[in-house]
Amino acid sequence: MVDRLIQQALNQVLSPIFDREFSESSYGFRPGRSAHQAVRQAQAYVASGKRWLVDIDLEKFFDRVNHDILMSRVARKVSDKRVLLLIRRYLEAGIMGGGLMTVNREGTPQGGPLWPLLSNIVLDDLDKELERRGLRFCRYADDCNIHVSSQRAGQRVLASVKDFLERRLKLQVNREKSAVARPWERKFLGYSMTVHDQPRLKVARESVKRMREKLKENFRRGKGRRLHRFIEEELNPLLRGWGNYFRLVEVERTFVELDGWVRRKLRQMLWRQWKRRYHRAMQLIQRGLASERAWKSASNGRGAWWNSGAWHLQEALPKSYFHQLGLVSLVNQKRRVVKTA
């Protein structure tokens, strides 16, 4: 706690000194700037005709920052040797593992209040170089996209930027993940774009996949719990936060599909909780199904996932049922944001 307090104090004093000269195209961990602004700017570049993307991936950036290079950049504006020594000590602070202390020879102190500023100080050299060349780019921390007009120009830029990063900043570029591609073939801060003259924002496929994995883990933990408590305590905070981050999305299909998938998982959860055939039949009857149909459905011998998508369970547990329980709808949340805006 003491270390975090000192790092926060350093950040509060140093941030205004460095931030005023940071690039307008740098959006990460800066006051008054956000990931949403970076995504909007990237969309504007594509709409203006910069329909090729140089996607640069820095390999283990926060673990590979060269301490000497970083400190030389800090020393450009900080002359107090006590402050410089303190920052150096935080950079080199060891990690205790298996009873042994390992001293850090490179990398920044992740998780602390100071590391976002230090990362921006290092990569500001990259920003200034890209600006000097007249390139259009968006950078959020170590996630940097450069927008160009042709594939050939993109290949030239990728080669020269790799050389600059590895030679000047001693940072390793991941050659397998870095590429020149169309914007709709890549993701930026979780977003992607459609193939249109006026590109629309959508959720990147990888972001949807990660969200489903998180939800699956929640459902595994929710076995046997009361449904309304599970929705309120486990699902809604996750859905609300994810939906808020992706509120810029202009293609709703992903939200519609994810809403439907969540409801189906909840139906599967209830079907398993009902367990016995008699209990399942009684639940279906209480929810409006005819007795003969309810018994037939309860006795079908199919698995929980199949039943969760079958008509008998969709009729017994419609969308309105989950709405009454307070389940957050990504589609409705998105539309409320649009209407408010």
Side-chain angles (χ1 to χ4, degrees), residues 192-196 199-203 246-256 331 334:
S192 186
M193 299 184 197
T194 59
V195 188
H196 292 94
R200 295 187 297 164
L201 295 174
K202 64 179 184 178
V203 185
F246 287 104
R247 66 179 182 269
L248 300 184
V249 162
E250 297 162 290
V251 180
E252 286 189 356
R253 185 176 63 184
T254 298
F255 284 6
V256 172
V331 173
K334 170 71 171 62

Side-chain angles (χ1 to χ4, degrees), residues 71-293:
M71 292 307 304
S72 70
R73 272 52 177 178
V74 175
R76 290 173 179 173
K77 296 184 179 298
V78 177
S79 58
D80 192 319
K81 293 183 178 179
R82 296 169 300 173
V83 174
L84 295 174
L85 178 61
L86 182 58
I87 295 174
R88 170 75 78 165
R89 285 180 174 174
Y90 276 123
L91 289 174
E92 296 178 349
I95 300 174
M96 182 69 75
L100 300 175
M101 177 70 75
T102 303
V103 178
N104 288 339
R105 299 299 181 188
E106 59 183 5
T108 57
Q110 295 185 55
L114 191 58
W115 74 262
L117 174 62
L118 297 180
S119 64
N120 275 332
I121 290 173
V122 172
L123 290 175
D124 188 56
D125 276 23
L126 171 63
D127 298 342
K128 296 296 191 291
E129 177 65 15
L130 297 178
E131 288 178 341
R132 186 185 68 80
R133 300 183 189 184
L135 294 169
R136 302 289 182 265
F137 68 97
C138 297
R139 184 178 65 79
Y140 192 96
D142 62 326
D143 200 344
C144 182
N145 282 353
I146 306 169
H147 297 262
V148 295
S149 301
S150 68
Q151 186 177 20
R152 181 177 296 180
Q155 295 292 355
R156 289 198 303 268
V157 169
L158 179 58
S160 60
V161 170
K162 278 182 182 178
D163 179 69
F164 176 84
L165 288 167
E166 293 175 356
R167 179 172 48 84
R168 288 280 298 275
L169 298 181
K170 308 299 181 187
L171 295 172
Q172 188 67 40
V173 175
N174 190 322
R175 285 169 167 75
E176 293 182 359
K177 294 184 178 181
S178 300
V180 177
R182 295 292 196 177
W184 45 87
E185 296 172 349
R186 310 291 287 186
K187 65 180 179 68
F188 181 53
L189 302 177
Y191 283 82
S192 186
M193 299 184 197
T194 59
V195 188
H196 292 94
D197 290 335
Q198 294 300 319
R200 295 187 297 164
L201 295 174
K202 64 179 184 178
V203 185
R205 188 178 305 169
E206 297 89 338
S207 301
V208 177
K209 182 179 179 180
R210 283 197 296 270
M211 180 58 170
R212 288 201 180 210
E213 291 300 321
K214 288 181 182 178
L215 288 168
K216 285 179 181 178
E217 179 60 33
N218 279 22
F219 278 109
R220 281 192 286 269
R221 293 200 305 266
K223 291 179 180 179
R225 293 186 59 181
R226 290 186 177 275
L227 194 63
H228 72 280
R229 293 290 298 275
F230 174 71
I231 289 174
E232 179 183 347
E233 297 173 4
E234 297 287 342
L235 288 187
N236 280 352
L238 185 57
L239 292 170
R240 194 175 287 114
W242 196 83
N244 182 60
Y245 179 76
F246 287 104
R247 66 179 182 269
L248 300 184
V249 162
E250 297 162 290
V251 180
E252 286 189 356
R253 185 176 63 184
T254 298
F255 284 6
V256 172
E257 291 175 352
L258 201 53
D259 274 348
W261 182 83
V262 169
R263 290 193 297 270
R264 184 170 179 180
K265 291 291 288 185
L266 288 170
R267 294 186 186 105
Q268 179 190 37
M269 182 176 168
L270 282 175
W271 189 258
R272 284 173 172 165
Q273 288 180 359
W274 293 343
K275 294 183 179 179
R276 298 182 181 278
R277 183 181 64 175
Y278 174 80
H279 192 197
R280 288 171 176 172
M282 291 299 101
Q283 289 289 341
L284 293 174
I285 292 170
Q286 289 175 15
R287 286 166 170 76
L289 266 68
S291 178
E292 182 179 353
R293 186 184 176 198

Side-chain angles (χ1 to χ4, degrees), residues 26-43:
S26 170
Y27 295 90
F29 310 112
R30 297 181 60 192
R33 290 176 170 265
S34 68
H36 286 165
Q37 291 175 333
V39 170
R40 283 295 193 199
Q41 184 59 71
Q43 183 186 24

